[in-house]
Amino acid sequence: MADKIQSIRGMNDILPDESPAWQYIEATLRQLMFSYDYKEIRFPVLEKTALFKRSIGEVTDIVEKEMYTFDDRNGDSLTLRPEGTAACVRAGIQNGLLVNQQQRLWYMGPMFRHERPQKGRYRQFHQMGAEVYGMDGPDIDAELICMTARLWKTLGLSESVTLQINSLGTPTSREIYRGMLTTYLEDNKSLLDEDSLRRLQSNPLRILDSKNPAMQAMIEKAPRLMDHLDDESKEHFAQLCTYLDSVGIAYEINTRLVRGLDYYTKTVFEWVTDKLGAQGTICAGGRYDGLVKQLGGRDTRAVGFAMGIERLISLLNQDTLEKSYQRPHAVMLMMGEQAQNVGFALTEQLRDSIEGLRLVTVCGGGSFKSQMKRADKSQAEIALILGDNELDNNTITIKYLRAELEDKQFQQEQVSQQQLIDLLSLKV
Ligand code: ATP
Ligand code: MG
């Protein structure tokens, strides 16, 4: 036997029994975006490497060690997108969507990061994200948070997630704070681990994000950006809190929340859960007012979020998963050659007459017993049986297969074709 070729580590197949949950989540997200009138944007999975380096930042986990970067046949350095925001901004600038306009956009699709695969952390994973351009107020920041809160409600997850928010200020106030923080960290240099020493000059704010227990006490005492915000950012943050209060969305102000990407300004937020171990962030976002200009566009305010679909799916409870699975309405069995000919055409007629009908045909014939076995496997609610007897009197036998759905299980009756259409129409 030839060697089996395996998939790439950390890149998963989504199998038929998992896809209903994916389709349910995707449909729910589409509906949510539709209801707030966000428009979908689709961009390529490959971009020029420079796009991500310039936007995400050279000294970030993603750019330092997680990108799938390679030279293509022309020798151009390309990268499989590790996230959507940079590509969304690139597409917005390139297609003239951002100048003097307001845009509410969303996207969904695979992202790629070369991380150590583990539960909730994969090398190909999926994100859904929303990005808004041309609006500078905290009202739009609050709208984005409301949308995500609504999603948790729809999915029955409100009790499983909590919201953390923070403000990173304007670039100017952040720069001043950065100086103060660096001084503090220099004074405590002996307590810094290797990673933090490396970041001390290049990205000191990220040190606040460290999970190293040995550094926690020192980090606790570090100066807080929240105490050194400029007035504009302070006002923006206070107003955001007022909006969240007004709709009853609970939040925790986490002054250490800095996010892993360089481009954030003012509002940042994360929805976290304690139900997924170390991979606890489900959705993360914030304002990135400087990025459009940094990528060559006109100065444009921007804010957005991205959520990890895999983590979302692993949070879903049994009820939601069951709701996401839709069984076929009916399965057609045909006994004998003549019944097969008549029945084949009848299945198409039923599909013509009843919009939304999910009907499975038992193909390949065989004994009643073997057809029933396949019919049962289809999970359909009702079996439609066509044999010599039914052909003679122009009827069809229906048999209820699911006890849990009808107390009519195993009951069977002969009905006319019109009665059948009426009955199935009630099911769709
Ligand atoms: P983490 O701290 O878990 O590495 P991150 O800060 O790198 O997350 P973002 O870049 O903000 O994550 O991406 C947004 C969301 O995408 C995350 O909150 C998470 O749900 C999901 N995500 C990120 N990386 C992965 C991955 N490798 N596998 C699965 N989901 C991921
Ligand atoms: Mg990460």
Side-chain angles (χ1 to χ4, degrees), residues 7 35 43 57 64 73 107 159-160 162 183 193 202 218 230 256 326 348 387 401-402:
S7 68
S35 73
F43 30 78
E64 275 183 342
R73 288 172 195 275
Y107 61 85
E159 302 300 312
S160 308
T162 54
T183 309
D193 60 16
S202 55
M218 181 274 294
D230 53 287
R256 287 167 53 178
Q326 289 176 332
E348 285 303 306
L401 299 175
R402 312 276 141 208

PDB file of all heavy atoms in Angstrom, residues 7 35 43 57 64 73 107 159-160 162 183 193 202 218 230 256 326 348 387 401-402:
ATOM      1  N   SER A   7      -2.333  15.427   6.689  1.00  0.00           N
ATOM      2  CA  SER A   7      -2.480  16.890   6.625  1.00  0.00           C
ATOM      3  C   SER A   7      -1.330  17.553   7.392  1.00  0.00           C
ATOM      4  O   SER A   7      -0.591  16.885   8.106  1.00  0.00           O
ATOM      5  CB  SER A   7      -3.811  17.305   7.251  1.00  0.00           C
ATOM      6  OG  SER A   7      -3.763  17.051   8.636  1.00  0.00           O
ATOM      7  N   SER A  35     -28.153  42.427  10.505  1.00  0.00           N
ATOM      8  CA  SER A  35     -29.101  43.188  11.326  1.00  0.00           C
ATOM      9  C   SER A  35     -28.526  44.541  11.760  1.00  0.00           C
ATOM     10  O   SER A  35     -29.274  45.453  12.081  1.00  0.00           O
ATOM     11  CB  SER A  35     -29.556  42.365  12.532  1.00  0.00           C
ATOM     12  OG  SER A  35     -28.517  42.265  13.473  1.00  0.00           O
ATOM     13  N   PHE A  43     -11.152  39.322   1.094  1.00  0.00           N
ATOM     14  CA  PHE A  43      -9.829  39.631   0.541  1.00  0.00           C
ATOM     15  C   PHE A  43      -9.030  38.352   0.481  1.00  0.00           C
ATOM     16  O   PHE A  43      -9.385  37.349   1.106  1.00  0.00           O
ATOM     17  CB  PHE A  43      -9.133  40.727   1.362  1.00  0.00           C
ATOM     18  CG  PHE A  43      -9.505  40.740   2.815  1.00  0.00           C
ATOM     19  CD1 PHE A  43      -8.942  39.828   3.678  1.00  0.00           C
ATOM     20  CD2 PHE A  43     -10.448  41.636   3.312  1.00  0.00           C
ATOM     21  CE1 PHE A  43      -9.299  39.808   5.015  1.00  0.00           C
ATOM     22  CE2 PHE A  43     -10.814  41.614   4.662  1.00  0.00           C
ATOM     23  CZ  PHE A  43     -10.231  40.701   5.506  1.00  0.00           C
ATOM     24  N   GLY A  57       3.371  45.087  13.338  1.00  0.00           N
ATOM     25  CA  GLY A  57       4.544  45.534  14.106  1.00  0.00           C
ATOM     26  C   GLY A  57       5.625  44.471  14.098  1.00  0.00           C
ATOM     27  O   GLY A  57       5.344  43.294  14.283  1.00  0.00           O
ATOM     28  N   GLU A  64       7.251  38.205  14.669  1.00  0.00           N
ATOM     29  CA  GLU A  64       8.532  37.611  15.058  1.00  0.00           C
ATOM     30  C   GLU A  64       8.592  36.117  14.794  1.00  0.00           C
ATOM     31  O   GLU A  64       9.610  35.591  14.401  1.00  0.00           O
ATOM     32  CB  GLU A  64       8.804  37.858  16.547  1.00  0.00           C
ATOM     33  CG  GLU A  64       9.449  39.201  16.830  1.00  0.00           C
ATOM     34  CD  GLU A  64       9.762  39.378  18.317  1.00  0.00           C
ATOM     35  OE1 GLU A  64       9.194  38.647  19.147  1.00  0.00           O
ATOM     36  OE2 GLU A  64      10.592  40.242  18.626  1.00  0.00           O
ATOM     37  N   ARG A  73       7.356  32.176  -6.881  1.00  0.00           N
ATOM     38  CA  ARG A  73       8.237  31.867  -8.013  1.00  0.00           C
ATOM     39  C   ARG A  73       8.884  33.101  -8.623  1.00  0.00           C
ATOM     40  O   ARG A  73       9.838  33.005  -9.367  1.00  0.00           O
ATOM     41  CB  ARG A  73       7.457  31.093  -9.082  1.00  0.00           C
ATOM     42  CG  ARG A  73       7.157  29.685  -8.645  1.00  0.00           C
ATOM     43  CD  ARG A  73       6.227  28.978  -9.612  1.00  0.00           C
ATOM     44  NE  ARG A  73       5.692  27.785  -8.993  1.00  0.00           N
ATOM     45  CZ  ARG A  73       6.308  26.607  -8.984  1.00  0.00           C
ATOM     46  NH1 ARG A  73       7.478  26.468  -9.568  1.00  0.00           N
ATOM     47  NH2 ARG A  73       5.757  25.568  -8.401  1.00  0.00           N
ATOM     48  N   TYR A 107     -15.810  40.311   7.791  1.00  0.00           N
ATOM     49  CA  TYR A 107     -15.192  39.254   6.990  1.00  0.00           C
ATOM     50  C   TYR A 107     -15.164  37.982   7.810  1.00  0.00           C
ATOM     51  O   TYR A 107     -15.315  38.010   9.034  1.00  0.00           O
ATOM     52  CB  TYR A 107     -13.753  39.639   6.580  1.00  0.00           C
ATOM     53  CG  TYR A 107     -12.854  39.861   7.786  1.00  0.00           C
ATOM     54  CD1 TYR A 107     -12.213  38.784   8.406  1.00  0.00           C
ATOM     55  CD2 TYR A 107     -12.694  41.138   8.323  1.00  0.00           C
ATOM     56  CE1 TYR A 107     -11.433  38.971   9.536  1.00  0.00           C
ATOM     57  CE2 TYR A 107     -11.913  41.330   9.454  1.00  0.00           C
ATOM     58  CZ  TYR A 107     -11.284  40.246  10.053  1.00  0.00           C
ATOM     59  OH  TYR A 107     -10.526  40.429  11.182  1.00  0.00           O
ATOM     60  N   GLU A 159     -23.382  33.613  30.026  1.00  0.00           N
ATOM     61  CA  GLU A 159     -22.860  33.276  31.346  1.00  0.00           C
ATOM     62  C   GLU A 159     -21.416  32.797  31.279  1.00  0.00           C
ATOM     63  O   GLU A 159     -20.740  32.692  32.297  1.00  0.00           O
ATOM     64  CB  GLU A 159     -23.714  32.159  31.981  1.00  0.00           C
ATOM     65  CG  GLU A 159     -25.184  32.495  32.125  1.00  0.00           C
ATOM     66  CD  GLU A 159     -25.409  33.727  32.994  1.00  0.00           C
ATOM     67  OE1 GLU A 159     -24.809  33.780  34.075  1.00  0.00           O
ATOM     68  OE2 GLU A 159     -26.150  34.638  32.561  1.00  0.00           O
ATOM     69  N   SER A 160     -20.945  32.461  30.079  1.00  0.00           N
ATOM     70  CA  SER A 160     -19.608  31.855  29.951  1.00  0.00           C
ATOM     71  C   SER A 160     -18.512  32.866  29.658  1.00  0.00           C
ATOM     72  O   SER A 160     -17.337  32.530  29.698  1.00  0.00           O
ATOM     73  CB  SER A 160     -19.599  30.817  28.818  1.00  0.00           C
ATOM     74  OG  SER A 160     -20.638  29.900  28.969  1.00  0.00           O
ATOM     75  N   THR A 162     -16.788  36.990  29.871  1.00  0.00           N
ATOM     76  CA  THR A 162     -16.786  38.308  30.510  1.00  0.00           C
ATOM     77  C   THR A 162     -15.992  39.280  29.641  1.00  0.00           C
ATOM     78  O   THR A 162     -15.107  38.889  28.877  1.00  0.00           O
ATOM     79  CB  THR A 162     -16.164  38.260  31.917  1.00  0.00           C
ATOM     80  OG1 THR A 162     -14.870  37.675  31.824  1.00  0.00           O
ATOM     81  CG2 THR A 162     -17.021  37.456  32.875  1.00  0.00           C
ATOM     82  N   THR A 183      11.371  53.385  32.347  1.00  0.00           N
ATOM     83  CA  THR A 183      12.180  53.743  33.517  1.00  0.00           C
ATOM     84  C   THR A 183      11.882  52.789  34.681  1.00  0.00           C
ATOM     85  O   THR A 183      12.790  52.261  35.323  1.00  0.00           O
ATOM     86  CB  THR A 183      11.871  55.199  33.952  1.00  0.00           C
ATOM     87  OG1 THR A 183      11.980  56.030  32.810  1.00  0.00           O
ATOM     88  CG2 THR A 183      12.801  55.665  35.049  1.00  0.00           C
ATOM     89  N   ASP A 193      12.102  38.494  32.943  1.00  0.00           N
ATOM     90  CA  ASP A 193      12.545  37.254  32.287  1.00  0.00           C
ATOM     91  C   ASP A 193      13.124  37.586  30.906  1.00  0.00           C
ATOM     92  O   ASP A 193      13.116  38.750  30.474  1.00  0.00           O
ATOM     93  CB  ASP A 193      11.403  36.226  32.212  1.00  0.00           C
ATOM     94  CG  ASP A 193      10.199  36.733  31.430  1.00  0.00           C
ATOM     95  OD1 ASP A 193      10.346  37.732  30.687  1.00  0.00           O
ATOM     96  OD2 ASP A 193       9.110  36.144  31.561  1.00  0.00           O
ATOM     97  N   SER A 202      12.020  47.546  22.801  1.00  0.00           N
ATOM     98  CA  SER A 202      11.230  47.529  21.572  1.00  0.00           C
ATOM     99  C   SER A 202       9.730  47.633  21.830  1.00  0.00           C
ATOM    100  O   SER A 202       9.008  48.273  21.066  1.00  0.00           O
ATOM    101  CB  SER A 202      11.525  46.256  20.794  1.00  0.00           C
ATOM    102  OG  SER A 202      11.300  45.137  21.620  1.00  0.00           O
ATOM    103  N   MET A 218       5.693  42.626  40.531  1.00  0.00           N
ATOM    104  CA  MET A 218       6.367  43.787  39.966  1.00  0.00           C
ATOM    105  C   MET A 218       5.440  44.499  38.963  1.00  0.00           C
ATOM    106  O   MET A 218       5.335  45.735  38.961  1.00  0.00           O
ATOM    107  CB  MET A 218       7.662  43.302  39.283  1.00  0.00           C
ATOM    108  CG  MET A 218       8.532  44.357  38.655  1.00  0.00           C
ATOM    109  SD  MET A 218       8.063  44.773  36.977  1.00  0.00           S
ATOM    110  CE  MET A 218       8.411  43.233  36.125  1.00  0.00           C
ATOM    111  N   ASP A 230      -4.392  61.120  28.225  1.00  0.00           N
ATOM    112  CA  ASP A 230      -4.717  62.489  27.823  1.00  0.00           C
ATOM    113  C   ASP A 230      -6.220  62.702  27.993  1.00  0.00           C
ATOM    114  O   ASP A 230      -6.988  61.741  28.058  1.00  0.00           O
ATOM    115  CB  ASP A 230      -4.330  62.668  26.359  1.00  0.00           C
ATOM    116  CG  ASP A 230      -4.967  61.582  25.508  1.00  0.00           C
ATOM    117  OD1 ASP A 230      -4.509  60.399  25.573  1.00  0.00           O
ATOM    118  OD2 ASP A 230      -5.946  61.875  24.810  1.00  0.00           O
ATOM    119  N   ARG A 256      -4.159  46.329  32.478  1.00  0.00           N
ATOM    120  CA  ARG A 256      -2.993  45.653  31.890  1.00  0.00           C
ATOM    121  C   ARG A 256      -3.284  45.101  30.504  1.00  0.00           C
ATOM    122  O   ARG A 256      -2.410  44.513  29.876  1.00  0.00           O
ATOM    123  CB  ARG A 256      -2.532  44.528  32.810  1.00  0.00           C
ATOM    124  CG  ARG A 256      -1.854  45.083  34.048  1.00  0.00           C
ATOM    125  CD  ARG A 256      -1.673  44.034  35.093  1.00  0.00           C
ATOM    126  NE  ARG A 256      -0.992  42.852  34.566  1.00  0.00           N
ATOM    127  CZ  ARG A 256      -0.688  41.800  35.305  1.00  0.00           C
ATOM    128  NH1 ARG A 256      -0.970  41.778  36.583  1.00  0.00           N
ATOM    129  NH2 ARG A 256      -0.073  40.781  34.762  1.00  0.00           N
ATOM    130  N   GLN A 326     -29.803  19.883  11.680  1.00  0.00           N
ATOM    131  CA  GLN A 326     -31.146  19.750  11.130  1.00  0.00           C
ATOM    132  C   GLN A 326     -31.272  18.440  10.373  1.00  0.00           C
ATOM    133  O   GLN A 326     -30.548  18.216   9.402  1.00  0.00           O
ATOM    134  CB  GLN A 326     -31.456  20.914  10.197  1.00  0.00           C
ATOM    135  CG  GLN A 326     -31.653  22.205  10.961  1.00  0.00           C
ATOM    136  CD  GLN A 326     -31.871  23.366  10.034  1.00  0.00           C
ATOM    137  OE1 GLN A 326     -31.402  23.368   8.898  1.00  0.00           O
ATOM    138  NE2 GLN A 326     -32.587  24.356  10.498  1.00  0.00           N
ATOM    139  N   GLU A 348     -38.325  14.029  -7.388  1.00  0.00           N
ATOM    140  CA  GLU A 348     -38.067  15.328  -8.011  1.00  0.00           C
ATOM    141  C   GLU A 348     -39.318  16.202  -7.995  1.00  0.00           C
ATOM    142  O   GLU A 348     -39.253  17.413  -7.796  1.00  0.00           O
ATOM    143  CB  GLU A 348     -37.547  15.156  -9.442  1.00  0.00           C
ATOM    144  CG  GLU A 348     -36.094  14.695  -9.510  1.00  0.00           C
ATOM    145  CD  GLU A 348     -35.145  15.636  -8.774  1.00  0.00           C
ATOM    146  OE1 GLU A 348     -35.149  16.843  -9.052  1.00  0.00           O
ATOM    147  OE2 GLU A 348     -34.418  15.163  -7.878  1.00  0.00           O
ATOM    148  N   GLY A 387     -44.058   0.752  -3.068  1.00  0.00           N
ATOM    149  CA  GLY A 387     -43.911  -0.634  -3.524  1.00  0.00           C
ATOM    150  C   GLY A 387     -45.023  -0.957  -4.493  1.00  0.00           C
ATOM    151  O   GLY A 387     -45.784  -0.069  -4.894  1.00  0.00           O
ATOM    152  N   LEU A 401     -40.302   7.592  11.818  1.00  0.00           N
ATOM    153  CA  LEU A 401     -39.097   6.878  12.268  1.00  0.00           C
ATOM    154  C   LEU A 401     -38.573   7.336  13.628  1.00  0.00           C
ATOM    155  O   LEU A 401     -37.760   6.661  14.225  1.00  0.00           O
ATOM    156  CB  LEU A 401     -37.976   7.054  11.240  1.00  0.00           C
ATOM    157  CG  LEU A 401     -38.247   6.525   9.829  1.00  0.00           C
ATOM    158  CD1 LEU A 401     -37.093   6.883   8.901  1.00  0.00           C
ATOM    159  CD2 LEU A 401     -38.445   5.017   9.849  1.00  0.00           C
ATOM    160  N   ARG A 402     -38.996   8.491  14.095  1.00  0.00           N
ATOM    161  CA  ARG A 402     -38.365   9.055  15.312  1.00  0.00           C
ATOM    162  C   ARG A 402     -39.348   9.151  16.463  1.00  0.00           C
ATOM    163  O   ARG A 402     -40.233  10.012  16.457  1.00  0.00           O
ATOM    164  CB  ARG A 402     -37.817  10.468  15.053  1.00  0.00           C
ATOM    165  CG  ARG A 402     -36.996  10.634  13.827  1.00  0.00           C
ATOM    166  CD  ARG A 402     -35.559  10.250  14.038  1.00  0.00           C
ATOM    167  NE  ARG A 402     -35.113   9.551  12.837  1.00  0.00           N
ATOM    168  CZ  ARG A 402     -34.173   8.646  12.811  1.00  0.00           C
ATOM    169  NH1 ARG A 402     -33.561   8.302  13.908  1.00  0.00           N
ATOM    170  NH2 ARG A 402     -33.845   8.053  11.691  1.00  0.00           N
TER     171      ARG A 402
END
